[in-house]
Amino acid sequence: MADRPSPGRPGRKRSEESRLAILTAAMELTAEVGYAGLTIEGIAARSGTGKQTIYRWWPSKADVLLDALATKARLHIPVPDEGGYEADLRRFLGDTFELGSRPQVIDLLRALMAEAQINENFGERFREEFLRRRRDALGEILTRARARGDLPAGLPPETVTDIVFGTLWYRILATRRLPDRRLIDELVTALTGPTA
């Protein structure tokens, strides 16, 4: 994570301590009052920072939450190297679904996906700063599996990624059924098979 304001936004370098306080405050407040009730003023008061500091670093409350969610994903969903594709995939899915099943995270994912559909500029940032990075993380696993020769033939890596994240988003947004261990087993079975 860069320790500087976004390009084009003048201001002092941001303190990592202040940044984390702001991200924590935003997530706590969202859990308490919901996305609709979240305000920059509330985040500033809870984190002990000024509104102008927040606006200098993020253009909106959605962007504060996007940074919080991306930071949480990087911390809780490492790119595993368990020695083989099936084990790597199982670990990645387990970590992803464990984080994605937390009520606070589910609420954030739903709110940010909704915002991304109605706010074109935020939608671009959401796709680039969160969705693409999560896809790239799974892409590392697939690239490594191909290099080791244990990536099954049949599905191109992009389709594997679409299946994994499409399933997760469908569960979160459409059915509201939480991803679970059974789903992990089913996806691992579907996405692994005879190697080429």
Side-chain angles (χ1 to χ4, degrees), residues 69 72-82 86-102 105 109 130 134 137-138 141 164-165 168 172 179-181 184 188:
L69 188 60
K72 190 172 274 292
R74 276 192 307 277
L75 290 173
H76 294 277
I77 310 171
V79 178
D81 187 351
E82 303 287 330
E86 183 174 340
D88 289 351
L89 180 62
R90 184 175 297 281
R91 170 84 185 278
F92 183 83
L93 291 174
D95 292 342
T96 299
F97 289 6
E98 191 279 324
L99 182 62
S101 295
R102 296 179 187 176
V105 173
L109 289 169
F130 184 72
R134 300 319 313 147
L138 179 53
I141 292 169
V164 167
F165 290 109
L168 178 62
I172 289 171
D180 55 20
R181 289 283 162 197
I184 292 170
V188 168

Side-chain angles (χ1 to χ4, degrees), residues 18-184:
S18 294
R19 176 182 163 273
L20 293 175
I22 291 166
L23 299 182
T24 300
M27 290 192 71
E28 288 174 354
L29 284 169
T30 302
E32 293 170 18
V33 302
Y35 180 74
L38 182 68
T39 64
I40 295 294
E41 291 81 4
I43 297 169
R46 173 72 62 96
S47 64
T49 59
K51 282 193 315 182
Q52 289 309 312
T53 297
I54 296 172
Y55 279 121
R56 192 165 48 242
W57 297 340
W58 298 278
S60 69
K61 70 181 185 180
D63 288 279
V64 177
L65 291 174
L66 174 59
D67 192 356
L69 188 60
T71 299
K72 190 172 274 292
R74 276 192 307 277
L75 290 173
H76 294 277
I77 310 171
V79 178
D81 187 351
E82 303 287 330
Y85 172 58
E86 183 174 340
D88 289 351
L89 180 62
R90 184 175 297 281
R91 170 84 185 278
F92 183 83
L93 291 174
D95 292 342
T96 299
F97 289 6
E98 191 279 324
L99 182 62
S101 295
R102 296 179 187 176
Q104 184 182 32
V105 173
I106 288 174
D107 291 345
L108 278 180
L109 289 169
R110 288 177 180 146
L112 294 180
M113 181 59 88
E115 185 70 22
Q117 304 315 300
I118 60 174
N119 181 327
E120 185 177 335
N121 290 330
F122 176 75
E124 289 176 16
R125 292 189 298 274
F126 182 65
R127 285 186 294 277
E128 185 64 22
E129 296 173 23
F130 184 72
L131 298 180
R132 185 187 60 77
R133 290 181 182 177
R134 300 319 313 147
R135 290 179 66 90
D136 288 350
L138 179 53
E140 277 186 55
I141 292 169
L142 298 171
T143 298
R144 187 185 313 127
R146 176 179 281 156
R148 285 192 300 235
D150 64 351
L151 185 66
L155 293 176
E158 185 167 312
T159 301
V160 171
T161 306
D162 287 345
I163 290 169
V164 167
F165 290 109
T167 301
L168 178 62
W169 281 106
Y170 182 77
R171 284 281 180 107
I172 289 171
L173 298 174
T175 69
R176 295 186 174 254
R177 289 172 42 221
L178 295 180
D180 55 20
R181 289 283 162 197
R182 181 177 175 185
L183 180 60
I184 292 170

